[in-house]
Amino acid sequence: MAAVYPSRTHDWWRDAVIYQVYPRSFADGDGDGTGDLAGVRANLPYLRQLGIDAIWFTPWYLSPLVDGGYDVADYRTIDPAFGTLDDAEKLIAEAAEIGLKVIVDIVPNHVSDQHAWFQAALAAGPGSPERDRFHFRPGRGENGELPPNNWPSEFSGNTWTQVPDGEWYLHLFTPQQPDLNWNHPDVRREHEDVLRFWFQRGVAGVRVDSAALLTKHRDLPDFTEGVDPHPYHDQDEIHDVYRSWRAIADEYGGVFVGEVWLPDPERFARYLRPDELHTAFNFNFLACPWDPERLRRTIDDTLAEHAPVHAPATWVLCNHDITRTATRYGREDTGFDFAKKRFGTPADLELGTRRARAAALLTLALPGSVYLYQGEELGLPEAEIPRERIQDPMHARSGGTDPGRDGCRVPLPWQAEAPSFGFGTLPGTEPWLPQPSDWARYAVDRQAADPGSMLSLYRTALGLRRSLPSFGDGPMSWLPAPDGVLAFARADGLVCVANLAKEPMELPSHQELLLTSSQLAADGTLLPDTTVWLRV
C-alpha cells in the first residue's frame, strides 16, 4: 500500500488530488447491478494505492434518481440503492484511517419533487406558506395558460410546470427538480442544518452544485439575451448565503468547492473571497481544446483570476457531465460544449489516449489542486449507450438529439475475465448501464500488471507529485519554448514540458528525467503529444 504522506500545507485543499466517485458506477457490493457504498469501502485500498488525498462523492442521498441523484428527496438519508447512513459513517471513518478525506455533494438550487416540502406545497394550494419555499406563480395569458416568464432551461425544454390548481412552479432543470426560494428563511436554515449534519459525521468538505444559480430576482422578470443583470445567474444576494455557510465550515475545519460557471473573472473571484467558498471548479480549463495557445491562455487566466483573493486554482480534465478525455482529445473538435454533443461523432482513440496521458502530467504539474474523475486513471473512453438504455434526462429533453452524459458514467471494469468485468454484479443481473464488450483491456487487474498502462502512469505521477514538495500549491513561471510547446518551471528545478507541436523537439538540458507520458523517440527527442517532468 502506498505511503500516507502528510499534507504539505495546513490548508490541505490547496494542493490536494481529489478523486471523484460516481457511486452508481464505481463498484457493486451487493450484486444488484448498481454501485454502492459497500463497493467503495471494499476498494478503499485501491484509492489509497493510487495516491490521492480525498474522495468526492456525487449525491448518495435518498432520491428517485431522475437526474442521477441530483434530485434529492432527503439529505439525511442514504438512498437504499447505495446503502445506509451507517454505511456512510463507516466509509468516512475507514477512509480517514488510511489518510483519505471525504467530500460530499450538496444541491442547494432545487430538491426532488418527492421531497416532503414539495409534496406539502402541492397539497396546501395557492397562497399557502408551504408554497413560499418554492417559486409558485399564476400563469400569464387570459386564463393563466402561459408560463409566468420566458426563462430558458439548463436542460432544454420548459422551466415551468403547471399543477392541477392552475399555478406554475419553476424548475431550471427537470420538472422533477423544483427550484427552492432562497429568500425564504426555512430554506436557508435547512441547508445550514444539513451542512452541520455532515460535518458532524466527519466529512472534510462539501461540493456545491450549480453554485451561482440559487438566488433569483424577486420579480422573476423575463430573460433577455445579453442584458445584465441576469435574472437568475450570479445574483449579488447569493454571497450572503455563502458567507453564512463559511462560518459553519470554519467551526468544523471544513472546506467548500463550488460549481461556478461564469465568464466574468471579476464576478467569478467574488465567490472565492476569504469569507466565502474556498475553491471553485475550473471549467474553462476543462472545456479548453488541445491547443497550446488556448491552453496557455487558460492557465494564465485561471491563475490571474485566483490571485486577487489568494485562492488556489483547481484543474480537472473530466467529470460525470463531460465527454471522457481519451475520446474528446481524439476528435476533430477537442474542446467541450454541451450544445455540440451528438451521436456518432468520430474519435481516434489512439491519438486521444496519447493526448490524455500528456494532459495528465501537464495538469498534475500545475499549481493548485487536481480533481480526477473515476476511470480517467484507466484511460476509459466515452461509451456509446444504446438509445433504449439511456437514462440521462438531457437526452429526452433534447428531443433525442443529445446523447446525454451516460457515456461517461458506465460502471468501471475491475477484472478482465470476470462477469461485468469485476464491477460486482451477479451473473444473470445486468449493470445499470451496459459496459462495452471490449473493456477487458481497460480493467484494473490488467493495467496494474502493465508498467506502460494509464493506471501505472497515474500511480507513478501521483506518487512523485506527493513526494516532491515543489508540485502542488506555489509559483510557476513559463520558460522559452518552440511554437506549440508548453514549458514551465516550478520550484527547486522541476520543469514540465508538453509538446503539442507536430514535430519532435529536443529536450532542455536537464539533470534527471523524472517521468514521461509516452516513450521518447529513439534519438531522445520529445515526440508530439507527449509531456515530460524534468529536474534541471
Side-chain angles (χ1 to χ4, degrees):
M1 185 175 294
V4 178
Y5 295 103
S7 177
R8 282 167 294 208
T9 66
H10 175 69
D11 298 328
W12 63 270
W13 42 273
R14 297 189 67 92
D15 60 8
V17 175
I18 300 163
Y19 186 94
Q20 180 190 353
V21 165
Y22 192 74
R24 292 176 91 181
S25 297
F26 186 75
D28 181 2
D30 61 10
D32 66 353
T34 296
D36 47 40
L37 302 191
V40 179
R41 289 174 62 196
N43 287 286
L44 283 174
Y46 167 79
L47 296 175
R48 178 66 269 170
Q49 187 177 15
L50 185 59
I52 62 166
D53 302 288
I55 313 168
W56 156 37
F57 289 90
T58 55
W60 55 21
Y61 318 105
L62 183 67
S63 169
L65 297 175
V66 171
D67 184 23
Y70 283 90
D71 47 321
V72 179
D74 185 349
Y75 271 116
R76 297 172 180 84
T77 302
I78 301 299
D79 195 275
F82 303 141
T84 65
L85 181 59
D86 182 59
D87 291 331
E89 292 173 341
K90 288 178 179 176
L91 173 53
I92 294 166
E94 290 167 5
E97 288 174 3
I98 58 172
L100 297 178
K101 295 176 171 63
V102 168
I103 296 172
V104 295
D105 212 318
I106 297 294
V107 191
N109 179 71
H110 49 263
V111 292
S112 166
D113 63 350
Q114 300 305 305
H115 192 282
W117 279 6
F118 192 72
Q119 290 295 305
L122 291 178
S128 63
E130 289 84 355
R131 289 203 173 180
D132 287 343
R133 294 168 174 155
F134 301 90
H135 297 282
F136 278 89
R137 293 290 188 276
R140 296 193 288 194
E142 185 176 347
N143 299 304
E145 71 277 9
L146 299 176
N149 67 28
N150 69 345
W151 288 3
S153 172
E154 300 294 302
F155 272 5
S156 303
N158 299 321
T159 55
W160 292 90
T161 291
Q162 192 173 28
V163 298
D165 58 42
E167 282 203 323
W168 299 71
Y169 68 89
L170 174 69
H171 50 86
L172 292 182
F173 295 86
T174 71
Q176 295 86 4
Q177 295 168 287
D179 279 40
L180 291 164
N181 174 15
W182 273 87
N183 292 318
H184 198 294
D186 285 357
V187 173
R188 298 201 177 199
R189 189 181 308 114
E190 168 67 2
H191 281 80
E192 291 172 1
D193 289 348
V194 166
L195 291 175
R196 290 190 177 94
F197 180 88
W198 286 105
F199 281 136
Q200 287 167 2
R201 277 155 182 78
V203 304
V206 172
R207 182 259 190 187
V208 186
D209 182 71
S210 300
L213 297 182
L214 277 58
T215 54
K216 280 78 173 173
H217 191 291
R218 289 176 184 267
D219 298 331
L220 305 185
D222 277 349
F223 168 73
T224 303
E225 186 72 43
V227 175
D228 290 327
H230 196 289
Y232 62 86
H233 271 187
D234 187 33
Q235 299 281 298
D236 287 339
E237 294 83 1
I238 203 168
H239 297 286
D240 293 336
V241 174
Y242 293 133
R243 277 189 283 270
S244 71
W245 285 21
R246 179 61 177 261
I248 294 169
D250 288 347
E251 287 180 38
Y252 296 94
V255 301
F256 293 117
V257 55
E259 184 191 25
V260 183
W261 292 74
L262 287 177
D264 185 327
E266 190 274 331
R267 301 287 301 187
F268 174 83
R270 293 185 183 190
Y271 290 80
L272 300 176
R273 288 177 289 197
D275 61 345
E276 295 191 41
L277 304 179
H278 299 75
T279 61
F281 282 117
N282 185 352
F283 290 107
N284 290 335
F285 184 80
L286 178 150
C288 187
W290 187 246
D291 174 271
E293 293 183 5
R294 295 278 297 277
L295 280 168
R296 176 165 176 162
R297 185 163 65 247
T298 301
I299 292 167
D300 283 339
D301 289 348
T302 297
L303 297 176
E305 286 171 0
H306 289 74
V309 286
H310 306 290
T314 64
W315 310 99
V316 58
L317 294 171
C318 183
N319 64 26
H320 64 292
D321 291 331
I322 307 301
T323 302
R324 284 211 178 262
T325 312
T327 295
R328 181 164 61 92
Y329 281 164
R331 290 176 171 171
E332 182 177 357
D333 180 357
T334 55
F336 180 81
D337 185 339
F338 279 113
K340 294 181 179 178
K341 289 192 73 174
R342 291 294 181 269
F343 286 97
T345 305
D348 180 343
L349 279 184
E350 184 177 350
L351 175 63
T353 300
R354 183 179 183 87
R355 288 172 170 173
R357 293 173 65 95
L361 295 198
L362 171 66
T363 304
L364 290 169
L366 291 167
S369 58
V370 175
Y371 282 78
L372 172 61
Y373 178 47
Q374 67 178 41
E376 287 290 289
E377 80 278 14
L378 304 177
L380 293 184
E382 186 84 353
E384 188 149 310
I385 309 298
R387 290 176 188 256
E388 67 275 10
R389 295 290 301 274
I390 293 175
Q391 300 194 27
D392 184 11
M394 288 189 78
H395 172 65
R397 288 175 66 83
S398 71
T401 60
D402 186 335
R405 299 161 295 176
D406 288 347
C408 66
R409 300 174 175 183
V410 174
L412 297 187
W414 292 91
Q415 297 172 302
E417 304 301 327
S420 68
F421 299 120
F423 174 61
T425 298
L426 294 174
T429 302
E430 290 189 35
W432 75 280
L433 283 177
Q435 298 164 301
S437 58
D438 65 347
W439 268 24
R441 57 179 165 161
Y442 298 108
V444 170
D445 63 347
R446 188 166 291 183
Q447 292 205 42
D450 177 6
S453 69
M454 183 76 85
L455 177 59
S456 294
L457 176 70
Y458 264 101
R459 284 177 171 175
T460 302
L462 290 173
L464 282 171
R465 190 181 187 275
R466 291 298 300 147
S467 62
L468 296 171
S470 300
F471 281 148
D473 196 25
M476 67 162 277
S477 57
W478 293 108
L479 300 174
D483 289 345
V485 175
L486 298 177
F488 58 89
R490 304 301 309 275
D492 300 326
L494 293 180
V495 167
C496 176
V497 181
N499 183 9
L500 279 70
K502 297 185 182 302
E503 302 296 331
M505 64 163 288
E506 295 283 343
L507 287 177
S509 177
H510 57 279
Q511 176 185 346
E512 184 181 2
L513 174 62
L514 295 171
L515 189 59
T516 177
S517 64
S518 298
Q519 288 187 339
L520 301 179
D523 61 1
T525 55
L526 185 63
L527 293 168
D529 298 317
T530 306
T531 300
V532 292
W533 289 354
L534 307 171
R535 192 190 300 277
V536 301

